[in-house]
Amino acid sequence: MNKVFIVQIAGFLVVPILVMLIVIYFLYPMLNKERYDLIVRTNGTMYDSLLMDSLARMDSLMRVDSLAIADSLALVQTNEDLQNKSKFDLKIDSLQRQIFVLTDQLNDLTGEIKSQIDTQKKPKSATNVSEEAFKDRVKSLLNLEEDEMAPILDKMSSNQLIRLYKEAGNTQREKILRALSSDRAAKLISEVML
């Protein structure tokens, strides 16, 4: 194929499309009158909103100027205002002293509370010893055979069984469940799952 032939085909395809676009551009207001009016109104309101924004800015600048004048007038005070201010300052000073005294008292109280908490924490070491003793007893109980363990487990309360079950390993848990009656084992499992 020849280059001239390709350019001619492209011209036949592109030129009509360009002509159609130009015709539609100029005829659009007549073809779709409502849409055209909407676009014109939207652009018109856009210019109006810009005008309103500029007027609002001018108004805010004028307010700032009036506030600056009011602030400068407020700086000019009479002797009575100064005397009232000094009385107010004296009241603030007395309140600050009271706050200082109260914070000292609060610090003393918190120190006492911390010392009481520290003294209450000391007995916890005794509970840790009882936890270790409990774990040793659990191990000795779980080392028994199922037949020997069954009467002991039947006499235990449900809270004790739950605690024992939670401390045991997987194989020991199976051993506990086999040693219990089916009703009691089901009850134990339902309480542990909650």
Side-chain angles (χ1 to χ4, degrees):
M1 292 186 111
N2 196 350
K3 289 183 183 180
V4 174
F5 184 68
I6 293 174
V7 171
Q8 286 177 349
I9 291 176
F12 286 125
L13 293 175
V14 172
V15 170
I17 292 174
L18 288 174
V19 170
M20 294 261 308
L21 285 175
I22 292 170
V23 169
I24 289 174
Y25 175 77
F26 287 112
L27 293 179
Y28 184 75
M30 290 179 226
L31 294 175
N32 197 350
K33 182 90 172 151
E34 293 170 3
R35 179 76 178 148
Y36 178 75
D37 290 339
L38 178 67
I39 291 172
V40 169
R41 275 185 272 137
T42 305
N43 287 340
T45 57
M46 187 170 73
Y47 294 123
D48 293 343
S49 66
L50 291 174
L51 178 65
M52 292 301 287
D53 288 342
S54 64
L55 289 175
R57 284 191 205 118
M58 290 280 288
D59 186 42
S60 66
L61 289 174
M62 290 176 64
R63 285 185 187 165
V64 168
D65 288 341
S66 64
L67 288 175
I69 292 170
D71 287 343
S72 64
L73 290 176
L75 291 176
V76 179
Q77 296 179 345
T78 62
N79 284 336
E80 294 174 359
D81 293 337
L82 292 174
Q83 289 174 353
N84 289 338
K85 187 176 179 183
S86 65
K87 289 178 185 176
F88 183 73
D89 288 340
L90 289 174
K91 289 180 183 178
I92 289 176
D93 288 340
S94 65
L95 288 174
Q96 286 177 341
R97 279 189 226 113
Q98 288 178 350
I99 290 171
F100 182 76
V101 169
L102 290 173
T103 53
D104 283 342
Q105 290 175 354
L106 181 65
N107 289 336
D108 292 340
L109 288 174
T110 54
E112 290 175 9
I113 290 172
K114 286 180 182 178
S115 65
Q116 288 176 357
I117 289 172
D118 289 339
T119 57
Q120 290 176 354
K121 284 185 179 179
K122 289 180 183 176
K124 282 193 174 182
S125 61
T127 58
N128 289 341
V129 172
S130 66
E131 286 291 325
E132 292 172 7
F134 173 76
K135 288 181 181 180
D136 288 339
R137 291 184 185 119
V138 166
K139 286 179 186 176
S140 63
L141 178 66
L142 294 175
N143 286 336
L144 295 174
E145 294 297 321
E146 292 173 22
D147 303 345
E148 298 167 342
M149 193 187 314
I152 298 170
L153 295 178
D154 286 337
K155 293 182 182 178
M156 294 177 83
S157 68
S158 60
N159 289 337
Q160 291 172 335
L161 274 175
I162 291 171
R163 190 171 176 197
L164 177 70
Y165 187 82
K166 287 181 179 178
E167 289 293 325
N170 286 337
T171 56
Q172 294 167 335
R173 287 179 181 172
E174 292 173 7
K175 192 183 219 185
I176 291 171
L177 292 175
R178 282 193 301 263
L180 290 173
S181 65
S182 60
D183 294 334
R184 194 122 191 245
K187 185 177 176 183
L188 173 67
I189 292 297
S190 65
E191 288 178 3
V192 168
M193 288 183 161
L194 296 175

